[in-house]
Amino acid sequence: MTNRATRIEPDTLDRLGSFVPTGRDPASVRKRIEAMEHLLEGLFKIPGTNYKIGLDVLLDLIPVGGDVIGSLMGAWMVWEARNLGMSKMQMARMFGNVGVDFLLGLIPVVGAVPDALFRSNSRNLKIIKRHLDKHHPATALIEN
């Protein structure tokens, strides 16, 4: 008898791969980065408004540790950008955005508010999209 609860079936991995591509090509990287930005910045809509917040703001409610986790997730986006061959200047700007986001989140009690307004991951996604649109135009998607 095999314990099916501890084994990941190949078809499960295939289905997961259809949501988040695992390739190293620019189109796959673009989809992963867009998915991470959505998770961190636009997961929930604040009732009664059109403003969205994500996991980044919710993690700010956990003192220090939440900011570290959010910053690591933001740094992952910059690491993916490195794999696209982005310039050191662009990457430094993106790390600066993550650093400002981290420092804003460290402000006790009210740190989530400026963190929600700064949106470092959305800023970094714009930088990455600009690079992709210029150097890998086939990855561009028409957005409504």
Side-chain angles (χ1 to χ4, degrees), residues 11-22:
D11 62 322
T12 304
L13 290 176
D14 290 340
R15 280 186 273 138
L16 180 62
S18 68
F19 294 117
V20 181
T22 57

Side-chain angles (χ1 to χ4, degrees), residues 100-139:
V100 168
D101 188 47
F102 176 73
L103 292 174
L104 288 173
L106 287 177
I107 300 170
V109 184
V110 296
V113 175
D115 194 19
L117 298 175
F118 183 66
R119 295 185 169 272
S120 68
N121 300 300
S122 296
R123 290 170 186 250
N124 288 346
L125 180 63
K126 282 183 184 178
I127 294 169
I128 294 168
K129 279 185 173 182
R130 224 176 296 131
H131 173 81
L132 284 171
D133 291 346
K134 182 177 179 183
H135 297 285
H136 305 283
T139 66

Side-chain angles (χ1 to χ4, degrees), residues 80-107:
E80 282 280 16
R82 180 191 64 88
N83 292 338
L84 292 171
M86 293 183 70
S87 73
K88 290 181 181 181
M89 185 60 123
Q90 290 170 314
M91 290 179 47
R93 186 171 169 205
M94 289 188 290
F95 271 123
N97 287 338
V98 172
V100 168
D101 188 47
F102 176 73
L103 292 174
L104 288 173
L106 287 177
I107 300 170

